Structure formats: C-alpha cells, structure tokens
Amino acid sequence: MDHLFAVWPDVARRLRSAEHVLLLSDYDGTLTPIVERPELAELPPQTREVLERLVRRHNLTVGIISGRALSDLKARLGLEGIVYAGNHGLEMEGPGLWFVNPLAEEIRPLLRLLHLALLQALSALRGVLVEDKGLTLSVHYRQVDSGRVAEVKSALESVVSPSRAGDRVRVTSGKKVYEVRPAVDWDKGKAIELLLEKYSGGRLTRPLPLYLGDDLTDEDGFRVVNRHDGISVFVGEEEIASAARYCLRSPQEVHELLGLLLELKKVE
C-alpha cells in the first residue's frame, strides 16, 4: 500500500475530475481513536467541523458506515445531510434513503434472547461488555485479562452455536470484539454497492467512491471500492495485508485528509 499523502497529487487529480464523489468512512479507529469502551469514542470537534463543511459541497456525498447501531451513529455525529449506515449497513438512512435489511429484521427477536443469554454466560468474566445493537450484538473483550480471553470465545460459542447451526446467525471478529450478526448475505461492501447505485443520480457513471476503514469488516468495502476503480484507504499503524490500495496511519491523518478535500477546487 502507498501512503495516501505520498501520492496525493495523483489522487487529488482524480477527485477533482470526478463528477461526483462518495466519501465514506468507518467511525471507530478511523474518525476517532480506538478507546477502552465504545461509549467513550467521541468525534473530535475539529473533525466534526470539517465534515459539516464537506456536507455542504454540492458534488460530494458524505457517509459513515459502522458496526455501531444507526441510532448510536446519529446521536454521536448529529449531522444533517449525511448517510448513516449502522450495523455494517444492515440499516441505513440518508438524503432520500431509508433501508433496513428485511431478513435481518426477522432475526431481531432471536438476537434479543441471545443478548440475555450472553449476559448470563459471561457475567463471571470481568471486563466483558455485551452490547445490544438491535440488528447485531457485540461482545467487547478489550478490558479482559489476556489469560481469560479464550473463556470469552468459549462462552460465546456455547450460547450461539445452536442458532449458528440453524443458519440464523454468524459470528465475526474485529479488534478485541466478537460480533453476532444475522446470517444474511450482507456486509459493508454490499452497502457501498447500494449507495453507489442510489447516489448515481441518474448519471451514466456512478460516483467516485473514497472509503476509509481500519478493521477486518472494512475489507469487503475496500474490495467493492476497488472494483469500481475507487480510492480505498486502510487506517492504522500496523503493517497488515489489506485489500486497500492506500493507507493512512491514524485518525489524525484522516482529519488532515478531510482538510485536503476541502481545498480541492472542483469539490465546491
């Protein structure tokens, strides 16, 4: 991966020449630093200010795609005129857009029961946080003693296995988190496909997508963006194998990128 700033003149040329740009970003670890508990991840005021200014650009659509619940994203950002895609795109809301994956909605009652069962099964493990996000569940273990992390996975499997065997849910992993998700053919990549189609605005060509993410769940998004010859950007200090074509090292560099986007004349 090339560092994005090292090749910025070429990337900026593509962005300036695009009829429309679809700027999409993950939230945790991308717009905000990773923190000990998810409720502590607050959007830096300077980043919020830049996003507010970008939203006003007529040929730029801004969206946030996150594993967080849609309601949580809206409460944290509080910005009008942007796309909110929660639960990895299972639920989305934005200008002229309202979407909830119907198959995922059918699983909601089961997830409520699994949430209660996980609370009980993991109650003896200090530091575990089980988060009910409506259409998905998250089991955070960042604060669990390293010697007991295996117990988290074992307890999770004991609760979820019957439903997973019935092809009703699946378990995915991220940075110090396991996620229990409906077993539907949907991910961030498919959410991006839907957004590209929605915001093509009747044009023959779809918007130029620029997507920023930092976790395993973002890889599906990177691959879709690459197929559309877009700009995929992995955010993180670690050298990892990623489908992204470019990288930035931190949320601070993401903020700097947003500032550069404001300076592009064509995006006015």
PDB file of all heavy atoms in Angstrom, residues 187-210:
ATOM      1  N   ASP A 187     -22.881  -7.166   3.839  1.00  0.00           N
ATOM      2  CA  ASP A 187     -21.691  -6.657   4.502  1.00  0.00           C
ATOM      3  C   ASP A 187     -21.490  -5.206   4.070  1.00  0.00           C
ATOM      4  O   ASP A 187     -22.321  -4.644   3.338  1.00  0.00           O
ATOM      5  CB  ASP A 187     -20.455  -7.515   4.166  1.00  0.00           C
ATOM      6  CG  ASP A 187     -20.267  -7.710   2.659  1.00  0.00           C
ATOM      7  OD1 ASP A 187     -20.413  -6.728   1.908  1.00  0.00           O
ATOM      8  OD2 ASP A 187     -19.968  -8.840   2.232  1.00  0.00           O
ATOM      9  N   LYS A 188     -20.410  -4.607   4.513  1.00  0.00           N
ATOM     10  CA  LYS A 188     -20.160  -3.205   4.169  1.00  0.00           C
ATOM     11  C   LYS A 188     -19.987  -3.017   2.665  1.00  0.00           C
ATOM     12  O   LYS A 188     -20.345  -1.972   2.113  1.00  0.00           O
ATOM     13  CB  LYS A 188     -18.933  -2.685   4.915  1.00  0.00           C
ATOM     14  CG  LYS A 188     -19.163  -2.467   6.403  1.00  0.00           C
ATOM     15  CD  LYS A 188     -17.954  -1.820   7.055  1.00  0.00           C
ATOM     16  CE  LYS A 188     -18.208  -1.526   8.522  1.00  0.00           C
ATOM     17  NZ  LYS A 188     -17.066  -0.831   9.168  1.00  0.00           N
ATOM     18  N   GLY A 189     -19.437  -4.024   2.000  1.00  0.00           N
ATOM     19  CA  GLY A 189     -19.276  -3.924   0.558  1.00  0.00           C
ATOM     20  C   GLY A 189     -20.609  -3.824  -0.161  1.00  0.00           C
ATOM     21  O   GLY A 189     -20.793  -2.993  -1.069  1.00  0.00           O
ATOM     22  N   LYS A 190     -21.566  -4.647   0.232  1.00  0.00           N
ATOM     23  CA  LYS A 190     -22.888  -4.600  -0.395  1.00  0.00           C
ATOM     24  C   LYS A 190     -23.607  -3.297  -0.057  1.00  0.00           C
ATOM     25  O   LYS A 190     -24.370  -2.764  -0.876  1.00  0.00           O
ATOM     26  CB  LYS A 190     -23.699  -5.818   0.026  1.00  0.00           C
ATOM     27  CG  LYS A 190     -23.186  -7.116  -0.612  1.00  0.00           C
ATOM     28  CD  LYS A 190     -24.034  -8.303  -0.208  1.00  0.00           C
ATOM     29  CE  LYS A 190     -23.618  -9.535  -1.026  1.00  0.00           C
ATOM     30  NZ  LYS A 190     -22.197  -9.882  -0.840  1.00  0.00           N
ATOM     31  N   ALA A 191     -23.365  -2.788   1.141  1.00  0.00           N
ATOM     32  CA  ALA A 191     -23.940  -1.491   1.496  1.00  0.00           C
ATOM     33  C   ALA A 191     -23.382  -0.394   0.588  1.00  0.00           C
ATOM     34  O   ALA A 191     -24.121   0.491   0.129  1.00  0.00           O
ATOM     35  CB  ALA A 191     -23.644  -1.177   2.964  1.00  0.00           C
ATOM     36  N   ILE A 192     -22.091  -0.446   0.312  1.00  0.00           N
ATOM     37  CA  ILE A 192     -21.478   0.550  -0.569  1.00  0.00           C
ATOM     38  C   ILE A 192     -22.033   0.430  -1.987  1.00  0.00           C
ATOM     39  O   ILE A 192     -22.301   1.434  -2.660  1.00  0.00           O
ATOM     40  CB  ILE A 192     -19.944   0.414  -0.552  1.00  0.00           C
ATOM     41  CG1 ILE A 192     -19.400   0.845   0.822  1.00  0.00           C
ATOM     42  CG2 ILE A 192     -19.302   1.252  -1.659  1.00  0.00           C
ATOM     43  CD1 ILE A 192     -17.917   0.614   1.006  1.00  0.00           C
ATOM     44  N   GLU A 193     -22.236  -0.802  -2.461  1.00  0.00           N
ATOM     45  CA  GLU A 193     -22.848  -1.001  -3.781  1.00  0.00           C
ATOM     46  C   GLU A 193     -24.212  -0.316  -3.842  1.00  0.00           C
ATOM     47  O   GLU A 193     -24.543   0.352  -4.832  1.00  0.00           O
ATOM     48  CB  GLU A 193     -23.001  -2.495  -4.074  1.00  0.00           C
ATOM     49  CG  GLU A 193     -21.713  -3.234  -4.358  1.00  0.00           C
ATOM     50  CD  GLU A 193     -21.270  -3.109  -5.809  1.00  0.00           C
ATOM     51  OE1 GLU A 193     -21.773  -2.202  -6.520  1.00  0.00           O
ATOM     52  OE2 GLU A 193     -20.417  -3.907  -6.216  1.00  0.00           O
ATOM     53  N   LEU A 194     -25.009  -0.496  -2.788  1.00  0.00           N
ATOM     54  CA  LEU A 194     -26.335   0.122  -2.759  1.00  0.00           C
ATOM     55  C   LEU A 194     -26.224   1.642  -2.797  1.00  0.00           C
ATOM     56  O   LEU A 194     -26.976   2.315  -3.512  1.00  0.00           O
ATOM     57  CB  LEU A 194     -27.092  -0.337  -1.512  1.00  0.00           C
ATOM     58  CG  LEU A 194     -28.568   0.058  -1.386  1.00  0.00           C
ATOM     59  CD1 LEU A 194     -29.328  -0.969  -0.565  1.00  0.00           C
ATOM     60  CD2 LEU A 194     -28.733   1.434  -0.736  1.00  0.00           C
ATOM     61  N   LEU A 195     -25.273   2.194  -2.055  1.00  0.00           N
ATOM     62  CA  LEU A 195     -25.106   3.653  -2.013  1.00  0.00           C
ATOM     63  C   LEU A 195     -24.615   4.195  -3.349  1.00  0.00           C
ATOM     64  O   LEU A 195     -25.040   5.275  -3.782  1.00  0.00           O
ATOM     65  CB  LEU A 195     -24.141   4.032  -0.892  1.00  0.00           C
ATOM     66  CG  LEU A 195     -24.624   3.733   0.532  1.00  0.00           C
ATOM     67  CD1 LEU A 195     -23.536   4.051   1.542  1.00  0.00           C
ATOM     68  CD2 LEU A 195     -25.893   4.524   0.854  1.00  0.00           C
ATOM     69  N   LEU A 196     -23.724   3.477  -3.999  1.00  0.00           N
ATOM     70  CA  LEU A 196     -23.243   3.915  -5.315  1.00  0.00           C
ATOM     71  C   LEU A 196     -24.388   3.982  -6.315  1.00  0.00           C
ATOM     72  O   LEU A 196     -24.474   4.909  -7.129  1.00  0.00           O
ATOM     73  CB  LEU A 196     -22.154   2.963  -5.816  1.00  0.00           C
ATOM     74  CG  LEU A 196     -20.780   3.108  -5.160  1.00  0.00           C
ATOM     75  CD1 LEU A 196     -19.883   1.939  -5.547  1.00  0.00           C
ATOM     76  CD2 LEU A 196     -20.126   4.431  -5.562  1.00  0.00           C
ATOM     77  N   GLU A 197     -25.277   2.998  -6.254  1.00  0.00           N
ATOM     78  CA  GLU A 197     -26.431   2.997  -7.159  1.00  0.00           C
ATOM     79  C   GLU A 197     -27.407   4.116  -6.797  1.00  0.00           C
ATOM     80  O   GLU A 197     -27.904   4.827  -7.669  1.00  0.00           O
ATOM     81  CB  GLU A 197     -27.129   1.649  -7.089  1.00  0.00           C
ATOM     82  CG  GLU A 197     -28.318   1.532  -8.025  1.00  0.00           C
ATOM     83  CD  GLU A 197     -28.937   0.144  -8.000  1.00  0.00           C
ATOM     84  OE1 GLU A 197     -28.348  -0.764  -7.381  1.00  0.00           O
ATOM     85  OE2 GLU A 197     -30.014  -0.018  -8.590  1.00  0.00           O
ATOM     86  N   LYS A 198     -27.642   4.280  -5.493  1.00  0.00           N
ATOM     87  CA  LYS A 198     -28.599   5.290  -5.041  1.00  0.00           C
ATOM     88  C   LYS A 198     -28.157   6.695  -5.419  1.00  0.00           C
ATOM     89  O   LYS A 198     -28.967   7.519  -5.867  1.00  0.00           O
ATOM     90  CB  LYS A 198     -28.762   5.185  -3.519  1.00  0.00           C
ATOM     91  CG  LYS A 198     -29.574   6.306  -2.886  1.00  0.00           C
ATOM     92  CD  LYS A 198     -31.016   6.274  -3.342  1.00  0.00           C
ATOM     93  CE  LYS A 198     -31.819   7.419  -2.725  1.00  0.00           C
ATOM     94  NZ  LYS A 198     -33.225   7.419  -3.191  1.00  0.00           N
ATOM     95  N   TYR A 199     -26.879   6.997  -5.257  1.00  0.00           N
ATOM     96  CA  TYR A 199     -26.414   8.360  -5.457  1.00  0.00           C
ATOM     97  C   TYR A 199     -25.761   8.587  -6.816  1.00  0.00           C
ATOM     98  O   TYR A 199     -25.034   9.552  -7.002  1.00  0.00           O
ATOM     99  CB  TYR A 199     -25.481   8.756  -4.309  1.00  0.00           C
ATOM    100  CG  TYR A 199     -26.235   8.835  -2.998  1.00  0.00           C
ATOM    101  CD1 TYR A 199     -26.031   7.894  -1.990  1.00  0.00           C
ATOM    102  CD2 TYR A 199     -27.195   9.824  -2.788  1.00  0.00           C
ATOM    103  CE1 TYR A 199     -26.751   7.949  -0.806  1.00  0.00           C
ATOM    104  CE2 TYR A 199     -27.915   9.882  -1.613  1.00  0.00           C
ATOM    105  CZ  TYR A 199     -27.697   8.946  -0.622  1.00  0.00           C
ATOM    106  OH  TYR A 199     -28.417   9.003   0.542  1.00  0.00           O
ATOM    107  N   SER A 200     -26.054   7.694  -7.751  1.00  0.00           N
ATOM    108  CA  SER A 200     -25.615   7.957  -9.127  1.00  0.00           C
ATOM    109  C   SER A 200     -26.458   9.079  -9.743  1.00  0.00           C
ATOM    110  O   SER A 200     -26.046   9.712 -10.711  1.00  0.00           O
ATOM    111  CB  SER A 200     -25.728   6.687  -9.977  1.00  0.00           C
ATOM    112  OG  SER A 200     -27.077   6.269 -10.074  1.00  0.00           O
ATOM    113  N   GLY A 201     -27.633   9.297  -9.168  1.00  0.00           N
ATOM    114  CA  GLY A 201     -28.456  10.433  -9.587  1.00  0.00           C
ATOM    115  C   GLY A 201     -28.873  10.388 -11.040  1.00  0.00           C
ATOM    116  O   GLY A 201     -29.077  11.427 -11.659  1.00  0.00           O
ATOM    117  N   GLY A 202     -28.986   9.193 -11.596  1.00  0.00           N
ATOM    118  CA  GLY A 202     -29.395   9.092 -12.985  1.00  0.00           C
ATOM    119  C   GLY A 202     -28.267   9.274 -13.977  1.00  0.00           C
ATOM    120  O   GLY A 202     -28.472   9.192 -15.189  1.00  0.00           O
ATOM    121  N   ARG A 203     -27.057   9.524 -13.469  1.00  0.00           N
ATOM    122  CA  ARG A 203     -25.909   9.684 -14.364  1.00  0.00           C
ATOM    123  C   ARG A 203     -25.492   8.321 -14.916  1.00  0.00           C
ATOM    124  O   ARG A 203     -25.720   7.278 -14.301  1.00  0.00           O
ATOM    125  CB  ARG A 203     -24.737  10.332 -13.612  1.00  0.00           C
ATOM    126  CG  ARG A 203     -24.997  11.781 -13.201  1.00  0.00           C
ATOM    127  CD  ARG A 203     -23.797  12.327 -12.430  1.00  0.00           C
ATOM    128  NE  ARG A 203     -23.701  11.733 -11.116  1.00  0.00           N
ATOM    129  CZ  ARG A 203     -24.274  12.230 -10.023  1.00  0.00           C
ATOM    130  NH1 ARG A 203     -24.988  13.332 -10.116  1.00  0.00           N
ATOM    131  NH2 ARG A 203     -24.138  11.642  -8.860  1.00  0.00           N
ATOM    132  N   LEU A 204     -24.836   8.352 -16.072  1.00  0.00           N
ATOM    133  CA  LEU A 204     -24.357   7.114 -16.679  1.00  0.00           C
ATOM    134  C   LEU A 204     -23.245   6.490 -15.854  1.00  0.00           C
ATOM    135  O   LEU A 204     -23.085   5.279 -15.814  1.00  0.00           O
ATOM    136  CB  LEU A 204     -23.865   7.383 -18.108  1.00  0.00           C
ATOM    137  CG  LEU A 204     -24.953   7.793 -19.110  1.00  0.00           C
ATOM    138  CD1 LEU A 204     -24.318   8.093 -20.468  1.00  0.00           C
ATOM    139  CD2 LEU A 204     -26.002   6.699 -19.254  1.00  0.00           C
ATOM    140  N   THR A 205     -22.459   7.329 -15.203  1.00  0.00           N
ATOM    141  CA  THR A 205     -21.366   6.828 -14.370  1.00  0.00           C
ATOM    142  C   THR A 205     -21.712   7.015 -12.902  1.00  0.00           C
ATOM    143  O   THR A 205     -22.333   8.013 -12.517  1.00  0.00           O
ATOM    144  CB  THR A 205     -20.052   7.577 -14.673  1.00  0.00           C
ATOM    145  OG1 THR A 205     -20.247   8.987 -14.457  1.00  0.00           O
ATOM    146  CG2 THR A 205     -19.623   7.351 -16.109  1.00  0.00           C
ATOM    147  N   ARG A 206     -21.314   6.059 -12.076  1.00  0.00           N
ATOM    148  CA  ARG A 206     -21.551   6.161 -10.640  1.00  0.00           C
ATOM    149  C   ARG A 206     -20.552   7.109 -10.001  1.00  0.00           C
ATOM    150  O   ARG A 206     -19.514   7.430 -10.600  1.00  0.00           O
ATOM    151  CB  ARG A 206     -21.448   4.769 -10.016  1.00  0.00           C
ATOM    152  CG  ARG A 206     -22.583   3.839 -10.439  1.00  0.00           C
ATOM    153  CD  ARG A 206     -22.498   2.507  -9.742  1.00  0.00           C
ATOM    154  NE  ARG A 206     -23.651   1.668 -10.060  1.00  0.00           N
ATOM    155  CZ  ARG A 206     -23.886   0.489  -9.511  1.00  0.00           C
ATOM    156  NH1 ARG A 206     -23.044  -0.009  -8.619  1.00  0.00           N
ATOM    157  NH2 ARG A 206     -24.949  -0.202  -9.842  1.00  0.00           N
ATOM    158  N   PRO A 207     -20.812   7.559  -8.758  1.00  0.00           N
ATOM    159  CA  PRO A 207     -19.857   8.442  -8.084  1.00  0.00           C
ATOM    160  C   PRO A 207     -18.503   7.751  -7.905  1.00  0.00           C
ATOM    161  O   PRO A 207     -18.420   6.521  -7.870  1.00  0.00           O
ATOM    162  CB  PRO A 207     -20.517   8.712  -6.732  1.00  0.00           C
ATOM    163  CG  PRO A 207     -21.956   8.373  -6.914  1.00  0.00           C
ATOM    164  CD  PRO A 207     -21.997   7.293  -7.938  1.00  0.00           C
ATOM    165  N   LEU A 208     -17.465   8.541  -7.771  1.00  0.00           N
ATOM    166  CA  LEU A 208     -16.148   8.016  -7.437  1.00  0.00           C
ATOM    167  C   LEU A 208     -16.135   7.751  -5.933  1.00  0.00           C
ATOM    168  O   LEU A 208     -16.257   8.677  -5.135  1.00  0.00           O
ATOM    169  CB  LEU A 208     -15.057   9.028  -7.795  1.00  0.00           C
ATOM    170  CG  LEU A 208     -13.635   8.665  -7.337  1.00  0.00           C
ATOM    171  CD1 LEU A 208     -13.144   7.404  -8.041  1.00  0.00           C
ATOM    172  CD2 LEU A 208     -12.680   9.832  -7.581  1.00  0.00           C
ATOM    173  N   PRO A 209     -16.012   6.479  -5.514  1.00  0.00           N
ATOM    174  CA  PRO A 209     -16.033   6.190  -4.072  1.00  0.00           C
ATOM    175  C   PRO A 209     -14.652   6.341  -3.434  1.00  0.00           C
ATOM    176  O   PRO A 209     -13.640   5.911  -3.993  1.00  0.00           O
ATOM    177  CB  PRO A 209     -16.505   4.730  -4.016  1.00  0.00           C
ATOM    178  CG  PRO A 209     -16.008   4.131  -5.299  1.00  0.00           C
ATOM    179  CD  PRO A 209     -16.006   5.238  -6.318  1.00  0.00           C
ATOM    180  N   LEU A 210     -14.628   6.951  -2.270  1.00  0.00           N
ATOM    181  CA  LEU A 210     -13.436   7.018  -1.424  1.00  0.00           C
ATOM    182  C   LEU A 210     -13.849   6.454  -0.072  1.00  0.00           C
ATOM    183  O   LEU A 210     -14.754   6.992   0.567  1.00  0.00           O
ATOM    184  CB  LEU A 210     -12.950   8.463  -1.289  1.00  0.00           C
ATOM    185  CG  LEU A 210     -11.571   8.703  -0.648  1.00  0.00           C
ATOM    186  CD1 LEU A 210     -11.106  10.141  -0.921  1.00  0.00           C
ATOM    187  CD2 LEU A 210     -11.552   8.460   0.855  1.00  0.00           C
TER     188      LEU A 210
END
